Amino acid sequence: QVQLVESGGGLVQPGGSLRLSCAASGSILGIYGMGWHRQAPGKQRELVADITWGGTTNYADFAKGRFTISRDNAKNTVYLQMNGLKPEDTAVYYCNAEYYNTRGTRRDWGQGTQVTVSS
């Protein structure tokens, strides 16, 4: 059993910042990478950013220049620093991890954290 626990969401004004965290724990021998997706009401879930455990990052176009993904390998934790937030960034943000254990390779998701950008 693997748990992904997200934190850091909330209400912020346009132009503000938030930092999301996601810690993976449980039956993990190693992590290939972690990332963030988001889903706004009435829209499909979309990639925000992801990072390999070697440090290679990938960003959606809307995230480039505003969001920064990073990881702490020792803590099995990924972070998403979001600056210059806009109302259209309002969504539930989901963490995911691709990892391996004795049963093979798996990808699991967190339960999501709400980010609301509003004045």
Side-chain angles (χ1 to χ4, degrees):
Q1 187 77 9
V2 171
Q3 296 80 39
L4 298 177
V5 179
E6 299 132 328
S7 62
L11 173 64
V12 64
Q13 292 186 341
S17 298
L18 283 175
R19 188 188 193 215
L20 306 183
S21 300
C22 174
S25 62
S27 181
I28 298 173
L29 292 178
I31 295 178
Y32 293 116
M34 295 181 72
W36 295 91
H37 284 62
R38 71 183 187 183
Q39 187 166 19
K43 294 188 177 181
Q44 290 188 328
R45 189 174 296 191
E46 62 180 351
L47 172 72
V48 178
D50 54 35
I51 185 167
T52 69
W53 241 225
T56 301
T57 58
N58 176 49
Y59 293 92
D61 285 344
F62 66 79
K64 293 177 181 176
R66 297 191 299 132
F67 297 178
T68 302
I69 191 169
S70 60
R71 89 278 187 225
D72 184 329
N73 295 30
K75 295 181 179 179
N76 286 351
T77 298
V78 66
Y79 306 95
L80 184 68
Q81 177 67 43
M82 303 186 293
N83 299 326
L85 284 162
K86 306 174 181 179
E88 52 263 43
D89 293 318
T90 296
V92 178
Y93 284 69
Y94 296 92
C95 168
N96 70 87
E98 184 176 12
Y99 62 93
Y100 63 94
N101 57 23
T102 58
R103 288 176 285 180
T105 298
R106 294 178 58 92
R107 180 184 293 274
D108 282 333
W109 294 81
Q111 293 191 333
T113 184
Q114 177 70 46
V115 171
T116 302
V117 184
S118 175
S119 56

